[in-house]
Amino acid sequence: MKHTFVVKESRQLKPHERSMLHALYPTGQIPHLFCLPVDRYHYTGWFRNEPVAAVTVDCKDFESSHVIHLSDIIGKNRMMLCGLIDWVLFQIRLESCDCTTVSLHLPSDAPDDLFNSLKNIGFLPCLEATSYEFPFVPYEKTTFEQWQFCIEYPETHGDWLRNRNQYFWLLPGATPLTVRTLDFLHRRQTIFYSLKWKGTVVGTMYGEIKQRQLHLHELHIMGQHEFVQEGISFFQQSYFNKFKETELMLVTASTMQTHVLHALYEQGARPTPASSYTLLKYLTPSTTT
């Protein structure tokens, strides 16, 4: 009897097949598979009537920026997982009339042979993002007369987004944010900030406060090292003065943000094990006659 590799979308699975997917994921890491938004899909690869690979495909940014995000990837072996991802890429090319960027996120402890296999199907290593514990420390300056720390509100989110997307390729994820994604983050109580110097925006960040900690998912300041160092010191002081009960910040930064990383280290930041890689693949539409 010949066995074939079959791809199924989670919405199409029978009840007993859905329960079988739990065996693919480590305990506590099972994604939400069956309450998916209309623009998110969870595909599984099956062999000999068993699930052997899975990937989540997020298309929320496709219409506005032609970006598709792949995450929650897992497989019993790298060949089957890459076979599933290759199938997804083929479908994207068939259905798209425009050039499309596919972003794939991997945890830092992913095996080396998986990285190599993804390179073989055209993914380009882009950057690594790491979360840093960022304590409140004494400040060398007592005043920052030229600096401003601003919380952005819905009326100014458009300006924040334009400033942020000027250097999106340096930031964790390496893709532009869209208005739709920003609105989604805002509904989840995400806070957006800008840093200004002499009235001009020189930095953007966003994050959320959880359990007396500020989690900054992005922080970026444009400029040379000394300027970035001063901006981060000002942000530290301003944030501590506004939210005195906050004990610690967690800041995520990428390997492309050289000046930011140097400034974080000089201010006492310590890397945590929480890190991930972003890989990108650029797809051109298939030509059919």
Side-chain angles (χ1 to χ4, degrees):
M1 179 180 178
K2 183 178 179 180
H3 297 281
T4 58
F5 185 76
V6 178
V7 177
K8 301 179 182 180
E9 208 277 321
S10 290
R11 294 177 179 89
Q12 305 168 339
L13 298 179
K14 299 175 182 178
H16 75 278
E17 292 177 323
R18 294 185 180 190
S19 63
M20 295 172 67
L21 296 185
H22 290 237
L24 273 177
Y25 291 93
T27 303
Q29 297 183 23
I30 302 171
H32 296 289
L33 303 179
F34 308 110
C35 296
L36 296 170
V38 294
D39 49 13
R40 185 177 300 175
Y41 307 89
H42 184 262
Y43 290 104
T44 51
W46 295 72
F47 185 72
R48 294 179 179 173
N49 298 318
E50 292 185 6
V52 294
V55 60
T56 297
V57 181
D58 189 334
C59 302
K60 67 178 180 295
D61 294 331
F62 179 69
E63 290 188 7
S64 57
S65 61
H66 303 298
V67 175
I68 291 177
H69 306 278
L70 306 186
S71 61
D72 302 322
I73 71 167
I74 197 162
K76 292 191 174 180
N77 66 58
R78 59 182 176 81
M79 290 184 61
M80 291 178 175
L81 177 56
C82 288
L84 174 61
I85 293 173
D86 210 19
W87 181 92
V88 169
L89 297 175
F90 179 74
Q91 298 303 312
I92 294 171
R93 290 192 68 219
L94 284 181
E95 298 173 13
S96 175
C97 298
D98 300 282
C99 294
T100 302
T101 300
V102 180
S103 167
L104 188 150
H105 299 283
L106 284 178
S108 60
D109 59 356
D112 290 339
D113 59 353
L114 177 57
F115 278 93
N116 293 331
S117 296
L118 291 170
K119 291 178 186 177
N120 290 338
I121 59 175
F123 278 94
L124 305 172
C126 186
L127 54 78
E128 180 182 4
T130 301
S131 291
Y132 295 84
E133 289 186 345
F134 191 35
F136 295 110
V137 296
Y139 314 103
E140 295 181 1
K141 296 182 69 172
T142 57
T143 181
F144 296 87
E145 294 179 354
Q146 307 293 347
W147 290 89
Q148 289 177 283
F149 170 55
C150 306
I151 296 178
E152 304 288 355
Y153 296 95
E155 310 86 72
T156 57
H157 280 175
D159 293 334
W160 181 93
L161 189 64
R162 283 187 289 274
N163 287 319
R164 183 267 181 199
N165 281 344
Q166 290 179 14
Y167 44 87
F168 69 84
W169 60 89
L170 302 175
L171 303 175
T175 54
L177 281 182
T178 63
V179 171
R180 187 174 180 183
T181 300
L182 190 147
D183 289 342
F184 171 77
L185 292 172
H186 178 64
R187 291 195 299 271
R188 292 183 55 186
Q189 307 302 311
T190 299
I191 310 172
F192 301 89
Y193 310 91
S194 292
L195 278 180
K196 295 182 179 180
W197 186 74
K198 292 185 177 181
T200 300
V201 175
V202 295
T204 59
M205 59 200 77
Y206 75 86
E208 54 191 327
I209 299 173
K210 297 189 296 187
Q211 298 177 347
R212 298 182 66 182
Q213 289 187 345
L214 171 65
H215 293 246
L216 277 185
H217 305 305
E218 285 183 3
L219 179 152
H220 193 70
I221 303 174
M222 298 164 282
Q224 296 302 310
H225 174 69
E226 293 79 7
F227 184 77
V228 173
Q229 183 73 53
E230 183 170 310
I232 287 181
S233 297
F234 168 71
F235 168 70
Q236 271 185 298
Q237 180 170 325
S238 299
Y239 193 85
F240 182 67
N241 290 338
K242 287 177 181 290
F243 305 97
K244 294 183 183 298
E245 293 185 358
T246 306
E247 298 173 346
L248 188 73
M249 282 192 283
L250 287 174
V251 180
T252 300
S254 83
T255 47
M256 297 292 287
Q257 298 176 270
T258 307
H259 295 322
V260 171
L261 289 176
H262 286 172
L264 288 174
Y265 277 118
E266 290 185 7
Q267 293 298 107
R270 301 183 300 273
T272 73
S275 61
S276 62
Y277 290 97
T278 297
L279 293 84
L280 299 177
K281 182 175 174 65
Y282 302 99
L283 296 177
T284 56
S286 60
T287 55
T288 56
T289 57

